[in-house]
Amino acid sequence: MLLLSSIVERRVSQMIIRNYTSKPTAINMSEKSFLPKKALVLRKFSRLEYERLCHSSLTEEQLAANLSQRGSVYDTLRHYDSVQKSCLKQIEASLESNNIEYQTVDKFGYTEDKINWADVIITSGGDGTFLMAASKVSSRDKPVIGINSDPTKSVGHLCLPSRYSNNFDKVIELLRDGKFQWQYKQRLRVTLIGDAADEEAKALNDMRYDMRGFLDQDFDQDRYNQQHNNNNPNHHHHHHQRANHLDGQCNNVTFKTVDGKVFHKIRQLKERALNEVFVGETLSARVSYYELSVDNNQLIKMKSSGLTICTGTGSTSWYYNINKVTEQQVFSIVSIINKVTQTNKVNPNDSTLIGDITKQFNDTLTFAPTEPIMAYSIRDPIGYASAVGHSHRGHAKRIEVKSRMQNACLVLDGCQFIPFNDGSYALIEMYDEDALKTISLE
């Protein structure tokens, strides 16, 4: 076990925002080249750091015992934490060796001021870290580049291929030589209408702290700032202003809903969803009751386990898993078809054929991240098909939702939580100007 003094030193050091100021340099770049002057690196907040933050009164020995009681292994968490930090260090070293000024922050220091300062956002983590970074980038001209810091634990669909995880020098080389393609991934814009426009957005992670009794939002941030300031006498407090201030302002303008109601209170969220927006009851065991309008058609009353609306990027994620079929289901369907039609043209025992049918159907669920269209899915609909007469999923350009729920939420990319209760409306749209700029090295 580590000595207590070194434990405290490491805890404080994890809170430090690392800065590097570049030296002047002359680089000849082609028109296609991209070599930023300033980079903001958003690093993953590891599970070990999370446990330390939630149990700050415990020594490392006590924390290890606490984790063991809950079925987790302290040494395993330390290993994965070191893997994350190793990847981060090589990213920082590459930036420094190429004279790119950079700052490294975690989720607490990821603020609007820092984002505006940077020419590029680089994430060191997984898809969750990438989504957090992307959601707060409002400019279509500021690229976000994801590095999967631990390919052994996650695929990192939103990040660059794993061969670049520990070779960021190669990424910079390809950017400098123009051997990459810009890619603009579509995102969802959310506008809140009525009472929902007054609701405060919260980070879903902070909600988890509250419900478990670990930390509330203010105490969590205050503790972070205190530890960071004690270790950094030149630290300016505004660097750590709360990041969820990116919400748009509540405007007193007129908005007419699909059902003809007029509201004078609306708010367009500055945050954009790269994967999906979820609408439903906060407690999953409750039925979600809402009204849905697709592409300006009339509102239809719905009862289900919630509604998901996704982009092409999100079509491979939650939306896909809601709607995909299994080989077992295809086997049953083929068997029933043979029985009803009294034929045996398709052999349900042909595992290769069943597997191919399953794959081909599931492949139809996904679409390109650059496509200017969104897909919606009504989860576990109750009497939907008989009442409405068409599919429980489809594509749309515009979706309007009216809440009929008492303890509901609207969640962006599993990160941002907004209360969404009875009488509130939400408008979900897609605009090309909101697309996220990323790179492809394939």
Side-chain angles (χ1 to χ4, degrees), residues 62-74:
Q62 292 170 334
L63 179 60
N66 180 285
L67 288 166
S68 179
Q69 289 177 348
R70 291 184 276 135
S72 295
V73 180
Y74 171 82

Side-chain angles (χ1 to χ4, degrees), residues 146-387:
I147 300 298
N148 185 358
S149 57
D150 189 358
T152 65
K153 284 198 68 178
S154 65
V155 177
H157 294 284
L158 301 177
C159 303
L160 294 180
S162 60
R163 61 179 174 275
Y164 300 110
S165 291
N166 292 293
N167 189 10
F168 197 69
D169 277 333
K170 184 64 176 179
V171 175
I172 294 179
E173 176 188 325
L174 293 172
L175 293 176
R176 180 191 290 114
D177 295 344
K179 296 178 180 179
F180 68 96
Q181 296 290 328
W182 291 118
Q183 187 177 55
Y184 293 86
K185 297 185 177 183
Q186 298 294 330
R187 296 189 288 179
L188 302 176
R189 178 187 297 187
V190 177
T191 303
L192 304 174
I193 303 123
D195 291 341
D198 291 326
E199 295 287 358
E200 179 186 357
K202 297 181 179 181
L204 206 57
N205 283 340
D206 291 341
M207 296 292 291
R208 183 174 65 208
Y209 296 159
D210 291 346
M211 290 187 286
R212 291 186 178 184
F214 289 151
L215 304 166
D216 59 39
Q217 291 180 340
D218 294 333
F219 182 55
D220 171 54
Q221 186 67 41
D222 289 344
R223 177 188 297 166
Y224 179 92
N225 286 336
Q226 183 179 5
Q227 290 180 325
H228 179 75
N229 291 341
N230 290 342
N231 198 68
N232 293 272
N234 297 323
H235 168 75
H236 299 288
H237 180 74
H238 71 271
H239 284 176
H240 285 282
Q241 61 184 320
R242 288 202 59 79
N244 65 4
H245 287 173
L246 290 180
D247 272 337
Q249 298 297 314
C250 182
N251 299 312
N252 292 318
V253 297
T254 301
F255 183 92
K256 188 175 182 180
T257 63
V258 171
D259 55 350
K261 291 184 173 59
V262 176
F263 289 87
H264 300 285
K265 188 166 56 178
I266 71 170
R267 183 181 61 169
Q268 182 186 113
L269 298 182
K270 283 188 177 180
E271 202 162 35
R272 301 291 183 255
L274 180 62
N275 262 2
E276 75 273 314
V277 172
F278 169 78
V279 179
E281 283 283 357
T282 303
L283 297 178
S284 59
R286 290 178 177 168
V287 174
S288 297
Y289 185 24
Y290 53 94
E291 298 181 31
L292 174 66
S293 167
V294 177
D295 291 335
N296 287 310
N297 290 306
Q298 68 176 18
L299 287 165
I300 302 295
K301 294 180 180 179
M302 301 287 177
K303 286 185 178 181
S304 73
S305 295
L307 169 72
T308 58
I309 303 149
C310 77
T311 63
T313 301
S315 70
T316 63
S317 185
W318 196 3
Y319 173 85
Y320 178 86
N321 286 288
I322 291 171
N323 295 291
K324 71 179 181 182
V325 297
T326 65
E327 292 186 10
Q328 182 183 29
Q329 291 170 321
V330 173
F331 172 88
S332 298
I333 292 171
V334 169
S335 298
I336 293 171
I337 291 174
N338 287 342
K339 181 178 179 180
V340 172
T341 60
Q342 296 183 346
T343 62
N344 196 26
K345 292 183 178 180
V346 180
N347 181 8
N349 295 312
D350 186 340
S351 59
T352 301
L353 178 60
I354 295 299
D356 186 50
I357 294 172
T358 303
K359 183 181 183 303
Q360 288 198 39
F361 173 85
N362 290 338
D363 286 347
T364 65
L365 299 173
T366 64
F367 53 102
T370 54
E371 282 194 48
I373 194 75
M374 50 189 176
Y376 67 91
S377 180
I378 299 164
R379 301 175 62 216
D380 309 320
I382 301 175
Y384 175 77
S386 59

